[in-house]
Amino acid sequence: AADTAQKKLVVGFSQVGAESGWRTANTESIKSEAQKRGIDLRFSDAQQKQENQIKAIRSFIAQGVDVIAFSPVVETGFEPVLQEAKKAGIPVVLSDRAVKVSDPSLYVTFLGSDFVEEGRRAANAVAKLTGGKANIAELVGTVGSAPAIDRKKGFEEVLSKYPDMKIIMSQSGDFTRAKGKEVMEAFLKAPNAKEINVLFAHNDDMALGAIQAMEEAGIKPGQDIKIVSIDGVRGAFEAMKDGKLNVTVECNPLLGPQLFDLIEKVANKEEVPKRVVSQEGVYDQAQAAAELPKRQY
Amino acid sequence: MIDWVSDLLFWIVFGSILFLLRGQRIFWSVGALGLLLLFNQFFTPGFFHIQILDGHLYGSRIDVLNQGAKVMLLSLGMVLVIATGGVDLSVGAVMAIAAAVSSRLLVTEHQSAGAAIAAALVISTLAGAWNGVLVAGFGIQPIVATLVLMVAGRGVAQLITEGQIINFLDPTMVYLGNGHLFALPFTLTLVLVTLGLAFFLVRRTALGLFIESVGDNDEASRYSGINAKQVKFLVYTFSGFCAGLAGLVACSNIKSADANNIGLYLELDAILAVVVGGTSLQGGRFYLIGAVVGGLFIQTLTTTLYARNVSSDISPVPKALAIIAVCLFQSESFRTRLSHVVRPFGRILKPLGSRPPQKSITATHDSPKP
Amino acid sequence: MANSLLEIAGLTKGFPGVKALDAVDFAIQRGEIHALMGENGAGKSTLIKVLTGVFPRDAGETRLEDKIIAPRSPREAEGLGISTVYQEVNLIPHLSVAENICLGRQPTWLGAIRWRAIAKRAAAALARLDLSLDVNRQLSSYSIAIQQLIAIARALDISAKLLILDEPTSSLDRTEVEELFKKLRKLRESGLGIIFITHFLDQVYEISDLITVLRNGRRVGCFATQELPRIKLVSHMIGKAVHQVEALEQKRASTASIRSEAPMLEAHGLGRKGSLRPLDLDIRPGEVVGLAGLLGSGRTETAKLLFGVDRPDQGTVRINRQAVRFNSPRAAIRYGIALTPEDRKVAGIIPNLTVRENIVLALQASRGSWQRLSVTEQAKLADRFIQALAIKTPSREQTVRNLSGGNQQKVLLGRWLATEPKLFILDEPTRGIDVGAKAEVEKLIQSLRQDGLAVLFISSELEEVVRQSQRVVVLRDRRKVVELTEGEISEETIMQSIATHNLERPAA
Amino acid sequence: MTRLNPKYIPLLATALVLLAVFSTGSLLYPNFGTPRVIVNLLNDSAFVGVAAVGESFVILSGGIDLSVGSMVAFVGILVAKLLQVGWDPFLAMGIALCVGTAAGVVMGGLIHYFELPPFLVTLAGLFCLRGLGFVIYPESIGIDHPFYGQVLPQLSILVAPKAVLPFTAMCFLGSVIVGTFVASFTRFGRNVYAIGSNENSARLMGLPIGRTKITAYALAAFFSALGGIVATFYMQSGNPASFAGLELDAIAAVVIGGTLLTGGVGFIPGTLMGVLILGLIQQIIIFNGTLNSWWTKIVIGALLLVFIVLQKLISGGGDQES
Ligand SMILES: Nc1ncnc2c1ncn2[C@@H]1O[C@H](COP(=O)(O)OP(=O)(O)OP(=O)(O)O)[C@@H](O)[C@H]1O
Ligand SMILES: Nc1ncnc2c1ncn2[C@@H]1O[C@H](COP(=O)(O)OP(=O)(O)OP(=O)(O)O)[C@@H](O)[C@H]1O
Ligand SMILES: [Mg+2]
Ligand SMILES: [Mg+2]
């Protein structure tokens, strides 16, 4: 045990990809924290593919790292490779997102936000903004992706409690600004477009695209149509400051410090809780100006 | 009332264009576009609604023109590449590079919009030239040669933006993808100018003939004294240029450069547009205008699916079926089979399908040779 | 008659703009070799293709052994006992010779192909044509003539009732043809019916029993070969009276010409390892130099080296006394050299472009892409050669793929004539073109010569070489063996020099 | 033996490149040149590999199949769903294979009878299968059938200390063997080559064009479906959104393996090597462990380029151009 204290801790981390500003911030946070603590980080980018992630984990096992951490692309499908990790005696820490496994001992702990909860928070924000009367247009994330599924789930769960709030249009915007704009343009041309008074976007990027579409159609975003989105990236705060976005539900990407606290504990065989929730808030226009300078991503 | 008149006018114009095109290869692509629009006329409320907003036209059909500009631009480059018997998978990545370069210069390096746009176009043209060197110079199969840039190019774009989404507000840059000229989106002008440029390049010079010849029989072209390598190099370079333009339009559209997502999977749409436009993937004869019409068709399809609120889960299915249907009608053997089965169909399709005996040379290659 | 093998009645087939077959009747007996004759584009190949189901027919009836048949694909035709060698070699270039012969009927054992057996069977099939090749080599590594023989070997490899050969001898030299005919006679004795298409009158008279003549898609008549004088046959084919035809009869080219002393092209020690031993060759303006030799003797290789298709690895080339070096056809064209390749399918036509585009192609290429020939210029050029070479096409906008084989060849000639070359290398230029056209081409060559053009003429027809050339270079085993001048040129001397040098060759 | 038949040169070049990649990795990183890494490689590439074997047939026939990725995902979710509602695993797999093959027959039929471009038809196949996957179930489903949990792990062989050859890898190698046999030792296989090289000549030679083409697409679909089943072994789950873009990996592997995209030239073992080269490049990058997201892409592209050019140089310049 004295030996391990001397040796550099080797951690393999498999990231989902670099698909959004949020993800890049997440990666940066993890990398810089590892460097700060002098940890030998083996970083691998899965480019949004689960099979790449499985390859990386298997490779980490072959390389003989001390701890494996990863942000799973999807919830299922990791059982066999986690079994291998367990056999090789390497502890696994999940970040950002959980996995579904029959045997919970396959990972030690999970740090991250709760997408379903984010959806619920967004719905509550909508209720607060509109007093429970809303015709909602929804910009869904990438079809089949975990955040899209869970955020929708949480949102609709709360919605069922408000009879006067309903989703009247829903379409995927692929989590991107361009698609968000394109889909919003189409929404605004529907015959019942006038009824829309709320936009719920599964992430900020799509909301920012939609805002442009509204402006081009001569609609005031944030006023004519209230906008609620998720993530809390810098661009969203800027938009809120300008009054174009109403609420963003934070989903904190800066998990580095919390993650390595956990990893070091795990490496030292200390007890850790099975579930650690990252600290996140819900921000509205009133808080935007104060919060903006603190956002580096 | 106004809508009613403008619709009627639209259909009269469209109908006459179709009538003029009968017997030509692109008749089927334009016809398919017409059918799709006709469907929308009756079944998608609001699709044909058009109004004037801030001094320019505003409506779904305008969106199609504006959003479709990217695919139309790409397909102009792609159609030439395909005509030489190749394919360019890297256009999506090159779009991202162009977007990254321009916005980085604009925002981080504080350069003028003109410089940023010029630099982006130069670099994307160079990227295209790189593909050209691999294919023509080293003789690597086009699909692998361009796969290299497809994979690496997006990385380069992210490297340039350092993984961030760069936002900009420069009016010139914003105008590219959002501005209006003559009450229509400026992107339409951009497409038409590029089409004109391509048209000049291939139809006013002999390049078009060389491209078709190389695509049809590489060896025999060499024997005839055509510099096949040069021809191939040129088309990939031009494709890079077109991708650069499309990339500028794409980032201008959303006033930001999102290196990871700009142009993602758009190479597929561009190839589809070319095929829908009547050009064979085997190379040889190509149809520039067909490619543009193909691009419009695909965008109309996408917009239709959005407008009809078809769930994204299954929206690929109707898209696929529509494309197959278009190509079935382009297929000579399908038409013959159909006219055997359904007699009255045959009577309608026959005069449209089988081309009339050639009288004289038509001015451009975009008309068919029987 | 009880012997009747195949009867065709009222067969009709139209293409857009052309009536390729117009109610054609045809009949063949067992044990008969029946020649099908006609000008380029008369409909011979179409008749074969409709008969064997490549094209659907518009009307008509076929009976094989009194049973009505209507095959919808060559495969079905083969199943009915009709084995066909189509015009142009139709084999798979990337596969080995052995496989090409056995494809589709490979011997198998429990579903697994027996590769050894294939090689053996292929070798045996080739041996029957007196050919011994490395059957494991890729087909494309052999010259077009050898490929033609391989295609015939494939057709002979099955036991059929009817054998159809569409211009099988177009690239073969005399000895090869004789071997083939020997084999055909044997097959005739065994009761096979053979349909034979060619443009060589000699061959028709040598082998066939009956001749059916087609003209413009119509049957002119069926004649017993022995009772039909040559001149009559030609007059039936081209539809002119006998006395008009007589004017066509070719004479030995006149030697009188403006011959400048300075050679247009001189090659010294030109060679390439593995394909051609170093050889000297010079051609003067106003002179036709014939290149004679057997199959694979290196004639095509010589042409390719001179045209920059292959790069020579030794020797020098001088054009108008200036040392030049080219490594691409482009460069050669710049020096005024033109080449019509022997394999027109691979290196000649651009199949999906129009006649007009094919004709202007080389000229346009030499002018570069900026100086585009205007559409009217193109049309004028195309029309000029369509007329001059009597290319049979519904319009200049017809895709070349849809032309008959001989007319495709004429288009290629037109392509190169349009560039007004100084040296014209013709590799089997008369391959597959009809008598009338052949005479036209010969006349053309001579008139070009008189205008001061230098011509290198390659042909497997010795008679033609003799008639055309002022000098003949004889090749053997990829080496120049002798150069015959003016007075010495005759078929006998050429044959002799090939044979003698054969004996002289050191045993290696 | 006599001298090497020139048609094997591209294959040899590919083998040399494979060797070069592996040695590069072994030299650079400890633990790289171990049996375990090789076994991992086979396991990780298994489903792409199986699909690539099928893809080879279509490419050899002069066509292309873009529906691979969607097919793998579709079969995955189909099997997972059927198991979830309590079907027998073998029955579920059998059904999946049949449905997959049927889709291939339909695509082949459209291509042959209506002369539609393969690119287009199979792209439509890609869209349709993806959509149908979502129709079956829009989210991922884990598989906890005992066959997967207990039987499968037993079906592996210890080939070296710490290196277990799993069943998925065996499926992959088996597919390569079967594919090689079909391509080289059956009439169907040879007809595929002939059609890919020159369809018109093949028709005039009396080969069965339609049957061969449709069978080629059916076979490709069968192998893709098998790849989907192997993927369920690999991940013990099905997900309709997974494996987007897998077709490109498969096509790249086939082409890197020395097969001409224009058809008619290539070998199935080449595809095996192509798959392994792509897999090794990824392994090198994972072992490196310091590249960030964009450098990963750039380095993959660069390595791809280096090895393709290397292969081109070894096999002797432009000789294999069609
Ligand atoms: N696929 C086709 N499409 C259109 N026209 C065709 C096609 N095939 C042949 N033709 C036309 O049919 C006519 C007869 O052609 P065919 O090939 O039968 O001539 P042929 O007698 O074999 O001539 P040759 O001696 O030159 O081979 C020609 O005018 C030709 O242009
Ligand atoms: N009898 C033969 N045996 C083996 N290979 C041959 C034979 N004849 C020709 N070849 C091959 O065919 C190719 C072309 O040969 P070459 O150019 O010398 O033919 P050629 O003299 O033009 O005669 P032709 O064109 O009539 O066949 C050569 O590469 C050679 O390998
Ligand atoms: Mg013919
Ligand atoms: Mg020759």
Side-chain angles (χ1 to χ4, degrees):
Chain A
D3 202 38
T4 44
Q6 298 302 315
K7 241 176 54 188
K8 242 186 172 184
L9 187 63
V10 183
V11 176
F13 183 81
S14 166
Q15 178 61 289
V16 173
E19 74 279 11
S20 61
W22 189 95
R23 189 64 64 187
T24 315
N26 180 244
T27 303
E28 269 318 301
S29 160
I30 288 165
K31 281 194 157 177
S32 59
E33 190 64 25
Q35 201 170 23
K36 217 189 289 170
R37 302 189 186 205
I39 288 171
D40 180 358
L41 178 70
R42 305 272 165 85
F43 179 83
S44 160
D45 180 332
Q47 319 211 352
Q48 285 119 283
K49 286 189 187 159
Q50 182 183 19
E51 57 271 29
N52 287 350
Q53 218 157 23
I54 296 175
K55 276 179 214 171
I57 296 169
R58 199 163 268 141
S59 174
F60 292 149
I61 300 170
Q63 291 177 44
V65 299
D66 298 319
V67 180
I68 292 173
F70 73 108
S71 304
V73 178
V74 292
E75 286 183 332
T76 49
F78 289 99
E79 186 126 9
V81 72
L82 293 185
Q83 219 100 34
E84 279 179 42
K86 192 179 170 189
K87 245 184 250 159
I90 303 174
V92 173
V93 177
L94 304 178
S95 134
D96 173 37
R97 171 130 199 83
V99 295
K100 275 191 208 144
V101 281
S102 52
D103 172 7
S105 75
L106 287 180
Y107 65 88
V108 186
T109 179
F110 160 45
L111 159 76
S113 21
D114 182 341
F115 294 148
V116 182
E117 178 57 27
E118 287 164 6
R120 285 190 206 114
R121 288 178 181 176
N124 286 324
V126 171
K128 218 165 97 185
L129 277 171
T130 60
K133 267 194 181 21
N135 287 319
I136 304 164
E138 183 189 27
L139 284 171
V140 183
T142 303
V143 175
S145 71
I149 295 171
D150 285 358
R151 285 172 185 169
K152 192 173 176 65
K153 214 179 269 169
F155 191 81
E156 285 176 346
E157 184 189 310
V158 173
L159 226 56
S160 61
K161 283 185 256 164
Y162 294 90
D164 287 338
M165 288 190 357
K166 53 183 181 299
I167 297 174
I168 58 170
M169 288 174 207
S170 173
Q171 187 67 255
S172 168
D174 262 343
F175 281 133
T176 68
R177 225 177 260 207
K179 276 277 161 57
K181 183 180 178 188
E182 196 177 343
V183 172
M184 195 67 215
E185 281 177 356
F187 281 172
L188 292 177
K189 265 135 210 148
N192 57 344
K194 297 256 169 354
E195 295 166 20
I196 304 173
N197 65 347
V198 171
L199 173 72
F200 166 48
H202 283 197
N203 79 348
D204 289 339
D205 279 335
M206 290 190 291
L208 293 175
I211 287 173
Q212 289 183 26
M214 291 182 203
E215 285 175 333
E216 280 165 23
I219 292 168
K220 288 209 177 64
Q223 289 177 25
D224 299 343
I225 296 179
K226 307 264 192 263
I227 305 176
V228 174
S229 68
I230 299 177
D231 265 5
V233 300
R234 193 183 161 84
F237 281 90
E238 281 166 355
M240 280 202 289
K241 210 182 90 191
D242 298 341
K244 294 175 182 173
L245 187 86
N246 299 79
V247 173
T248 182
V249 176
E250 189 186 31
C251 177
N252 188 8
L254 306 181
L255 298 178
Q258 266 179 299
L259 179 67
F260 282 105
D261 283 347
L262 277 175
I263 287 177
E264 279 176 348
K265 279 192 196 144
V266 167
N268 294 333
K269 311 231 155 36
E270 292 173 35
E271 272 301 308
V272 288
K274 196 78 192 172
R275 173 81 171 89
V276 184
V277 179
S278 50
Q279 296 129 14
E280 305 170 325
V282 177
Y283 297 90
D284 59 18
Q285 292 179 346
Q287 298 152 288
E291 193 64 24
L292 185 56
K294 292 190 223 156
R295 299 274 145 181
Q296 21 359 7
Y297 59 92
Chain B
M1 179 59 200
I2 296 298
D3 261 13
W4 187 83
V5 173
S6 82
D7 287 3
L8 195 67
L9 220 72
F10 176 83
W11 284 112
I12 290 174
V13 172
F14 200 96
S16 352
I17 292 178
L18 208 55
F19 182 76
L20 288 175
L21 289 176
R22 75 196 184 288
Q24 307 223 356
R25 182 78 172 135
I26 59 170
F27 173 85
W28 300 105
S29 342
V30 179
L33 182 62
L35 278 182
L36 193 57
L37 288 172
L38 203 63
F39 170 82
N40 281 319
Q41 168 89 67
F42 291 115
F43 300 106
T44 311
F47 194 94
F48 264 71
H49 180 70
I50 209 152
Q51 71 191 72
I52 299 203
L53 196 82
D54 294 345
H56 56 79
L57 293 170
Y58 177 85
S60 287
R61 278 173 294 169
I62 305 299
D63 284 352
V64 169
L65 288 179
N66 195 24
Q67 292 287 356
K70 286 163 282 186
V71 175
M72 288 193 267
L73 285 170
L74 290 182
S75 66
L76 278 172
M78 189 70 84
V79 70
L80 299 186
V81 171
I82 286 179
T84 62
V87 71
D88 186 353
L89 292 183
S90 73
V91 288
V94 174
M95 280 176 73
I97 294 180
V101 168
S102 60
S103 49
R104 162 114 203 208
L105 283 179
L106 205 61
V107 176
T108 324
E109 319 289 336
H110 306 293
Q111 300 291 319
S112 72
I117 290 171
L121 287 180
V122 167
I123 288 184
S124 46
T125 309
L126 285 177
W130 158 268
N131 285 329
V133 168
L134 290 186
V135 174
F138 288 82
I140 298 173
Q141 295 193 57
I143 209 167
V144 221
T146 55
L147 183 68
V148 170
L149 195 57
M150 180 190 183
V151 177
R154 208 162 277 286
V156 171
Q158 283 179 317
L159 180 70
I160 295 170
T161 60
E162 286 161 347
Q164 302 296 327
I165 297 180
I166 304 182
N167 302 314
F168 53 79
L169 289 168
D170 181 277
T172 314
M173 270 299 278
V174 170
Y175 182 79
L176 271 184
N178 300 296
H180 290 86
L181 194 66
F182 309 125
L184 286 169
F186 175 69
T187 45
L188 183 66
T189 314
L190 215 53
V191 171
L192 291 179
V193 168
T194 315
L195 175 65
L197 177 71
F199 201 88
F200 172 80
L201 267 180
V202 298
R203 300 306 189 198
R204 290 291 143 228
T205 75
L207 202 58
L209 176 65
F210 295 165
I211 289 172
E212 290 180 337
S213 168
V214 167
D216 203 12
N217 188 344
D218 199 345
E219 177 94 346
S221 306
R222 219 160 56 84
Y223 268 80
S224 302
I226 292 171
N227 193 340
K229 287 187 174 177
Q230 193 183 52
V231 169
K232 286 186 186 170
F233 175 79
L234 276 177
V235 294
Y236 284 94
T237 310
F238 183 69
S239 176
F241 172 80
C242 290
L245 267 183
L248 286 173
V249 167
C251 73
S252 166
N253 253 329
I254 51 167
K255 300 175 193 160
S256 62
D258 179 355
N260 191 68
N261 292 309
I262 277 186
L264 203 60
Y265 303 126
L266 228 51
E267 55 278 345
L268 274 188
D269 278 359
I271 297 172
L272 265 182
V274 170
V275 176
V276 168
T279 302
S280 153
L281 283 165
Q282 310 283 310
R285 277 270 182 265
F286 66 90
Y287 304 90
L288 275 180
I289 294 175
V292 173
V293 173
L296 267 184
F297 177 80
I298 290 185
Q299 186 61 43
T300 311
L301 207 55
T302 312
T303 308
T304 304
L305 292 173
Y306 287 149
R308 303 187 52 77
N309 218 350
V310 175
S311 154
S312 323
D313 297 5
I314 55 154
S315 66
V317 179
K319 198 170 171 178
L321 296 182
I323 290 166
I324 285 287
V326 181
C327 291
L328 273 178
F329 273 91
Q330 277 184 3
S331 148
E332 197 90 49
S333 78
F334 175 76
R335 292 203 303 265
T336 2
R337 270 164 216 263
L338 192 67
S339 56
H340 284 318
V341 180
V342 199
R343 288 274 158 206
F345 248 137
R347 229 169 296 138
I348 304 167
L349 288 176
K350 258 275 168 54
L352 296 173
S354 47
R355 295 148 202 174
Q358 193 69 32
K359 302 136 274 177
S360 65
I361 301 178
T362 28
T364 72
H365 294 276
D366 257 322
S367 36
K369 309 290 174 286
Chain C
M1 232 204 295
N3 255 355
S4 171
L5 179 60
L6 177 87
E7 278 173 58
I8 296 175
L11 203 63
T12 302
K13 171 76 192 170
F15 293 111
V18 206
K19 191 133 206 187
L21 293 177
D22 192 358
V24 170
D25 299 336
F26 179 84
I28 181 170
Q29 320 275 311
R30 285 199 194 84
E32 171 183 303
I33 298 184
H34 198 136
L36 203 52
M37 302 285 295
E39 283 182 294
N40 293 134
K44 306 179 293 291
S45 299
T46 307
L47 178 68
I48 302 309
K49 286 188 174 167
V50 172
L51 171 64
T52 55
V54 179
F55 296 141
R57 64 191 63 183
D58 295 346
E61 198 180 79
T62 10
R63 288 165 185 274
L64 185 72
E65 296 180 320
D66 284 335
K67 273 197 294 273
I68 293 186
I69 58 162
R72 277 164 304 164
S73 69
R75 182 176 173 71
E76 277 183 34
E78 221 179 271
L80 292 166
I82 306 177
S83 179
T84 315
V85 178
Y86 295 90
Q87 190 176 11
E88 311 289 340
V89 173
N90 283 292
L91 294 174
I92 309 299
H94 290 311
L95 297 185
S96 72
V97 171
E99 243 197 306
N100 266 293
I101 291 176
C102 299
L103 206 58
R105 40 186 189 241
Q106 297 97 331
T108 55
W109 181 75
L110 299 178
I113 289 178
R114 294 161 55 214
W115 282 101
R116 292 251 168 89
I118 287 182
K120 236 186 252 162
R121 185 160 145 192
L126 289 169
R128 267 177 257 147
L129 288 175
D130 221 19
L131 207 60
S132 93
L133 303 172
D134 178 357
V135 293
N136 288 321
R137 265 175 64 187
Q138 255 195 10
L139 180 84
S140 58
S141 70
Y142 289 102
S143 75
I144 193 77
I146 299 286
Q147 292 183 24
Q148 210 166 44
L149 286 169
I150 294 168
I152 296 170
R154 176 183 162 84
L156 294 179
D157 189 44
I158 59 168
S159 52
K161 299 170 189 154
L162 178 64
L163 177 66
I164 303 175
L165 302 169
D166 191 350
E167 299 199 29
T169 55
S170 59
S171 306
L172 301 188
D173 67 23
R174 186 168 291 186
T175 41
E176 303 296 339
V177 171
E178 263 155 31
E179 283 305 325
L180 177 65
F181 282 2
K182 245 189 265 166
K183 177 77 189 160
L184 292 186
R185 287 195 192 99
K186 240 188 267 166
L187 289 171
R188 168 167 60 187
E189 269 152 42
S190 71
L192 205 73
I194 300 175
I195 302 178
F196 182 76
I197 301 177
T198 186
H199 288 292
F200 297 112
L201 298 186
D202 289 348
Q203 294 179 6
V204 172
Y205 280 97
E206 191 181 337
I207 189 97
S208 74
D209 307 312
L210 287 175
I211 301 176
T212 291
V213 179
L214 292 183
R215 187 168 71 231
N216 285 332
R218 295 218 183 85
R219 193 184 85 133
V220 175
C222 179
F223 312 92
T225 309
Q226 300 315 322
E227 293 155 21
L228 185 71
R230 260 172 203 249
I231 196 96
K232 218 44 188 298
L233 171 59
V234 175
S235 107
H236 281 313
M237 282 166 61
I238 62 182
K240 284 183 179 150
V242 171
H243 67 271
Q244 281 172 299
V245 175
E246 276 167 339
L248 272 176
E249 284 290 292
Q250 301 101 5
K251 290 177 194 72
R252 176 90 163 78
S254 112
T255 52
S257 62
I258 344 122
R259 187 191 288 190
S260 122
E261 285 314 307
M264 141 82 202
L265 175 135
E266 299 164 87
H268 287 290
L270 190 69
R272 179 181 157 91
K273 263 233 292 286
S275 75
L276 189 74
R277 313 262 180 97
L279 107 184
D280 296 343
L281 184 73
D282 62 325
I283 312 171
R284 278 170 269 261
E287 178 183 48
V288 176
V289 174
L291 213 50
L294 299 179
L295 290 194
S297 57
R299 295 163 300 173
T300 299
E301 313 273 316
T302 312
K304 280 186 176 174
L305 283 183
L306 288 175
F307 194 57
V309 177
D310 292 335
R311 220 173 290 192
D313 53 13
Q314 48 195 313
T316 57
V317 177
R318 301 208 296 169
I319 288 183
N320 294 329
R321 296 261 148 97
Q322 256 184 1
V324 293
R325 188 164 269 285
F326 25 76
N327 44 24
S328 72
R330 266 170 67 67
I333 291 166
R334 223 172 288 141
Y335 287 104
I337 305 179
L339 165 83
T340 57
E342 72 175 345
D343 190 348
R344 67 170 162 254
K345 207 162 123 190
V346 172
I349 59 162
I350 315 287
N352 292 306
L353 296 196
T354 63
V355 173
R356 167 178 58 88
E357 287 165 316
N358 268 281
I359 287 179
V360 301
L361 196 62
L363 177 61
Q364 182 66 71
S366 69
R367 290 170 54 139
S369 55
W370 289 106
Q371 294 172 41
R372 176 169 170 272
L373 290 156
S374 77
V375 175
T376 35
E377 284 173 294
Q378 293 187 15
K380 229 187 271 167
L381 207 62
D383 284 344
R384 197 174 106 211
F385 287 104
I386 289 173
Q387 224 173 28
L389 300 170
I391 298 173
K392 193 165 174 214
T393 168
S395 96
R396 68 173 103 86
E397 302 302 317
Q398 174 73 306
T399 44
V400 161
R401 188 175 35 133
N402 293 340
L403 255 49
S404 79
N407 283 306
Q408 292 180 356
Q409 183 70 28
K410 291 184 193 171
V411 168
L412 288 186
L413 283 172
R415 175 190 296 173
W416 288 109
L417 289 175
T419 65
E420 299 177 353
K422 305 221 166 46
L423 168 64
F424 205 162
I425 305 173
L426 299 158
D427 195 355
E428 313 277 3
T430 53
R431 207 183 126 217
I433 68 179
D434 61 46
V435 262
K438 210 175 275 184
E440 290 302 320
V441 169
E442 294 193 3
K443 251 202 295 198
L444 192 87
I445 291 174
Q446 291 307 326
S447 82
L448 290 172
R449 180 178 74 81
Q450 253 135 42
D451 294 344
L453 197 82
V455 178
L456 184 65
F457 185 78
I458 305 174
S459 171
S460 295
E461 258 183 285
L462 281 186
E463 188 196 15
E464 208 175 48
V465 175
V466 169
R467 210 163 46 227
Q468 292 278 344
S469 325
Q470 275 78 55
R471 235 165 355 117
V472 173
V473 170
V474 181
L475 297 185
R476 212 208 116 76
D477 287 336
R478 294 140 195 252
R479 163 183 8 213
K480 174 173 166 181
V481 285
V482 73
E483 188 172 316
L484 305 172
T485 49
E486 213 64 84
E488 314 166 327
I489 302 174
S490 71
E491 289 185 46
E492 289 70 37
T493 47
I494 295 175
M495 292 302 274
Q496 230 164 36
S497 53
I498 292 174
T500 344
H501 288 274
N502 188 16
L503 293 177
E504 277 173 11
R505 201 175 65 154
Chain D
M1 284 295 280
T2 45
R3 84 205 145 82
L4 183 74
N5 190 328
K7 74 177 178 181
Y8 293 120
I9 288 177
L11 203 59
L12 191 73
T14 315
L16 286 177
V17 167
L18 180 62
L19 212 66
V21 191
F22 190 71
S23 341
T24 315
S26 311
L27 284 178
L28 288 178
Y29 308 108
N31 289 355
F32 193 97
T34 55
R36 178 164 198 151
V37 170
I38 299 174
V39 166
N40 278 356
L41 188 66
L42 286 171
N43 187 12
D44 291 333
S45 326
F47 55 91
V48 198
V50 173
V53 170
E55 184 76 56
S56 307
F57 280 94
V58 171
I59 292 183
L60 282 174
S61 82
I64 198 158
D65 185 357
L66 297 178
S67 68
V68 172
S70 297
M71 179 70 87
V72 171
F74 169 77
V75 165
I77 190 70
L78 180 63
V79 169
K81 183 75 198 175
L82 290 179
L83 290 180
Q84 195 186 39
V85 297
W87 283 45
D88 176 76
F90 294 103
L91 192 58
M93 289 176 206
I95 294 277
L97 285 177
C98 290
V99 172
T101 312
V105 172
V106 171
M107 291 190 283
L110 282 171
I111 290 165
H112 172 68
Y113 289 111
F114 301 126
E115 291 159 28
L116 295 184
F119 183 92
L120 209 95
V121 172
T122 56
L123 188 63
L126 178 158
F127 287 150
C128 289
L129 287 169
R130 185 66 70 188
L132 288 178
F134 279 105
V135 170
I136 292 175
Y137 197 72
E139 291 173 37
S140 72
I141 301 177
I143 298 175
D144 48 13
H145 194 277
F147 173 76
Y148 278 78
Q150 284 132 42
V151 182
L152 269 182
Q154 309 293 316
L155 292 175
S156 51
I157 309 169
L158 194 72
V159 284
K162 278 194 176 178
V164 185
L165 190 71
F167 187 62
T168 50
M170 289 185 245
C171 289
F172 177 22
L173 295 177
S175 299
V176 171
I177 292 169
V178 171
T180 309
F181 175 81
V182 173
S184 305
F185 289 93
T186 64
R187 284 189 188 170
F188 160 74
R190 303 320 294 170
N191 291 348
V192 166
Y193 279 87
I195 291 174
S197 188
N198 189 333
E199 185 172 332
N200 195 37
S201 289
R203 176 175 299 118
L204 294 182
M205 286 170 90
L207 302 181
I209 305 292
R211 201 175 70 201
T212 306
K213 263 172 129 175
I214 294 172
T215 313
Y217 284 93
L219 196 66
F222 172 83
F223 274 114
S224 305
L226 189 63
I229 288 172
V230 170
T232 62
F233 296 163
Y234 181 69
M235 319 233 273
Q236 305 212 345
S237 70
N239 181 357
S242 57
F243 304 115
L246 186 75
E247 53 279 348
L248 262 187
D249 290 342
I251 294 169
V254 173
V255 173
I256 290 171
T259 300
L260 282 190
L261 208 60
T262 43
V265 180
F267 299 95
I268 306 291
T271 299
L272 167 68
M273 292 191 266
V275 170
L276 294 183
I277 289 174
L278 284 182
L280 275 173
I281 290 179
Q282 274 194 341
Q283 283 297 329
I284 289 181
I285 283 165
I286 296 172
F287 266 80
N288 174 290
T290 59
L291 297 175
N292 67 19
S293 304
W294 36 96
W295 278 111
T296 303
K297 291 177 187 159
I298 296 174
V299 172
I300 291 179
L303 289 178
L304 201 59
L305 176 70
V306 168
F307 294 122
I308 292 166
V309 171
L310 197 66
Q311 185 191 23
K312 193 82 196 172
L313 292 179
I314 296 174
S315 60
D319 279 0
Q320 53 164 340
E321 258 181 290
S322 60

